Amino acid sequence: MSANGNGVSQSDPKVYDEFRSKWAALPDDAEGWIKRAEEVASVLSKDAGLRERENKSPHAEIALLKHAGLLKVLGPKKYGGGAQPWSVAYKVIREVAKGDGSIGMLLGYHLLWSTTANVVGSPEQAERAQELIIGNNYFVGGAVNPRDSDLKITSDGNNIVFNGFKHFNTGGVVSDLTVLEGIYEGTDDHIFAIVKTDQPGIQFSHDWDNVGLRLTESGSVKIAEVATPWDDALGWDATKKKPNPAVLGIPFATLLLPTIQLVFSNFYLGIAWGALNEASAYTNRSTRAWPFGGDNKEKPQDEFYILSTYGNFFAHLRAATALADKAGLEIDAIYENSGPLDTRAKVTAKDRGQAAEWVASVKVTATDTGLRVTSGVFEVTGAKATAKKVGLDRFWRDIRTHTLHDPVAYKNRELGRYVLLNEVPEPTWYT
């Protein structure tokens, strides 16, 4: 993890030391991985509100994910990974987010960045990256934000050198490795590379202070003279110093975007489920029936409007979750073509686009449902539920913060063009 955060208040990894031995053995099937994620969520949920208010850099929480093995769920078994498909990883993200939205988000971003080389790298680069990340149980952050100016990349002969600034990078402060991306000088060509985080040229500003997702360390970062060998330029021919079209010139190389968009939707849904679970427990424990309605009840569980609201929220979350699971299977079908370049080349632009429309459907539904549930739970918990110590507001703040990441109206428009014109989005890595 990065040393340049040493002066920043951070949580103590020792608080979770007991889980190092408790979870020493990795789960061996999908059900076991999901159960492990539920156990992690249970640990996190006990003091999620307090930890959010303290707003310490989440070194302990990342240690917990490492102890649980969740960083490895997608990794190859030969390097100690779980060898699970994305559909299982999405469920794992969702479960963790039920306990703590920030940590669910960090896990989701890590899983995306840890598989970057599988998508935009050569098979040899992908193999090296997996051995490095999974073999060492590393946490991966990313300084990749297409809204900012691209990092500038130059060459000093044997190395590519990154320089620039990003207003947002998620999890970098607590990461072992960081994904960088930029434009190579004199071209319009992008390069992705994975570098060690703990180096002088990666300078975090520690300025993440938004209303939600407070523990995600999503602040700005300056990249200054960060060098890495040409061999680490993902998908590039290191000898010719040019992109390899067999790797980067095919639709498969653009899968990072739909993959992470479904990451977003799943931690939205996890947060919304967390809100429903917390609210229902509060209603059963503390909410009082309204005594002035003319149809007075003794218990809140007998109030028609409370039962109706909870039932409606439950139905919509079940439907959105089922849609997310279906989209996860669509992503799995695309990733079945991972590995050799001739296999990756089988994925067409239409294949990629149709999977992206499943993902867009989930994004719209998860955003709408998540915001409605996380704000609406106050209507069925009562005025005392707004107390800071209850912490019920964190769920809405978390979803509200991230759903502004990209305007959901554009997903609605995209789906409209799909319905009316049978158009799918162009396969690019950034939109």
Side-chain angles (χ1 to χ4, degrees):
M1 294 185 182
S2 174
N4 77 11
N6 286 346
V8 177
S9 179
Q10 52 190 251
S11 57
D12 183 1
K14 292 180 182 178
V15 302
Y16 296 127
D17 273 355
E18 65 183 281
F19 298 102
R20 189 191 301 270
S21 56
K22 179 179 180 180
W23 292 329
L26 292 182
D28 54 15
D29 57 20
E31 183 179 344
W33 282 100
I34 295 166
K35 185 175 186 299
R36 177 67 56 82
E38 291 172 351
E39 292 170 349
V40 169
S42 178
V43 173
L44 292 170
S45 67
K46 291 176 182 176
D47 61 349
L50 174 62
R51 287 184 296 100
E52 194 218 32
R53 291 193 296 275
E54 292 178 340
N55 197 21
K56 294 180 178 179
S57 188
H59 288 255
E61 292 84 345
I62 295 302
L64 183 70
L65 294 180
K66 288 185 174 186
H67 297 336
L70 296 186
L71 303 185
K72 301 180 178 184
V73 62
L74 291 170
K77 281 193 181 256
K78 62 182 174 180
Y79 300 129
Q84 295 299 308
W86 265 107
S87 58
V88 173
Y90 287 132
K91 292 177 182 178
V92 166
I93 294 164
R94 196 161 68 216
E95 289 301 324
V96 172
K98 289 179 183 179
D100 188 320
S102 288
I103 310 309
M105 175 176 161
L106 286 173
L107 175 60
Y109 273 69
H110 157 81
L111 291 175
L112 184 281
W113 296 131
S114 70
T115 57
T116 301
N118 297 8
V119 176
V120 298
S122 68
E124 294 77 19
Q125 289 172 323
E127 197 70 19
R128 290 204 311 269
Q130 289 302 298
E131 184 175 12
L132 175 67
I133 296 166
I134 305 303
N136 291 285
N137 201 16
Y138 279 159
F139 179 79
V140 186
V144 180
N145 175 17
R147 282 295 300 272
D148 284 334
S149 297
D150 290 295
L151 298 181
K152 299 182 186 304
I153 303 173
T154 56
S155 174
D156 66 5
N158 295 323
N159 301 310
I160 54 174
V161 183
F162 290 85
N163 282 279
F165 180 83
K166 290 291 184 180
H167 285 92
F168 299 102
N169 88 104
T170 294
V173 174
V174 290
S175 70
D176 302 293
L177 301 171
T178 295
V179 176
L180 299 180
E181 175 277 327
I183 293 281
Y184 184 48
E185 62 175 340
T187 76
D188 293 323
D189 297 321
H190 294 258
I191 302 179
F192 283 85
I194 304 171
V195 302
K196 288 186 177 180
T197 303
D198 190 6
Q199 56 178 296
I202 298 181
Q203 303 162 18
F204 298 104
S205 304
H206 306 288
D207 54 359
W208 178 248
D209 190 24
N210 289 41
V211 298
L213 297 168
R214 308 243 326 136
L215 302 188
T216 60
E217 286 287 12
S218 294
S220 61
V221 60
K222 182 181 179 181
I223 307 298
E225 299 296 314
V226 174
T228 194
W230 264 106
D231 284 343
D232 293 339
L234 296 178
W236 280 59
D237 185 315
T239 302
K240 297 179 180 178
K241 295 180 173 50
K242 291 184 178 295
N244 181 351
V247 180
L248 296 175
I250 57 176
F252 190 93
T254 69
L255 289 180
L256 293 176
L257 179 75
T259 304
I260 199 168
Q261 286 282 323
L262 197 50
V263 166
F264 299 165
S265 296
N266 275 284
F267 68 72
Y268 297 169
L269 290 173
I271 292 167
W273 277 112
L276 191 70
N277 293 340
E278 289 273 338
S280 59
Y282 183 92
T283 292
N284 282 327
R285 180 178 68 250
S286 301
T287 301
R288 296 179 294 174
W290 183 247
F292 309 116
D295 183 22
N296 298 349
K297 308 296 183 183
E298 291 187 8
K299 301 183 298 183
Q301 296 89 339
D302 294 330
E303 290 274 23
F304 175 85
Y305 80 96
I306 289 179
L307 295 172
S308 175
T309 301
Y310 274 117
N312 186 269
F313 288 169
F314 182 68
H316 281 83
L317 277 176
R318 267 192 164 179
T321 300
L323 181 60
D325 289 344
K326 167 62 177 172
L329 295 176
E330 295 293 325
I331 292 294
D332 281 356
I334 296 290
Y335 275 96
E336 285 177 3
N337 297 284
S338 298
L341 296 182
D342 58 346
T343 304
R344 296 188 203 178
K346 294 177 182 178
V347 176
T348 66
K350 188 166 186 179
D351 293 334
R352 187 263 192 198
Q354 289 179 330
E357 295 313 315
W358 278 103
V359 173
S361 299
V362 183
K363 181 73 177 294
V364 169
T365 307
T367 298
D368 291 350
T369 301
L371 288 172
R372 193 164 71 86
V373 171
T374 54
S375 62
V377 290
F378 290 99
E379 298 169 12
V380 287
T381 50
K384 288 185 177 180
T386 62
K388 183 179 289 188
K389 66 180 180 181
V390 177
L392 201 55
D393 58 312
R394 67 183 171 92
F395 299 101
W396 178 84
R397 288 186 287 104
D398 283 352
I399 290 187
R400 180 68 284 176
T401 296
H402 200 279
T403 50
L404 300 174
H405 176 278
D406 54 300
V408 74
Y410 284 92
K411 292 302 181 190
N412 282 313
R413 182 186 68 175
E414 180 184 307
L415 287 162
R417 297 188 72 84
Y418 181 62
V419 171
L420 293 177
L421 305 172
N422 197 30
E423 288 184 4
V424 296
E426 288 293 321
T428 65
W429 72 266
Y430 55 89
T431 60

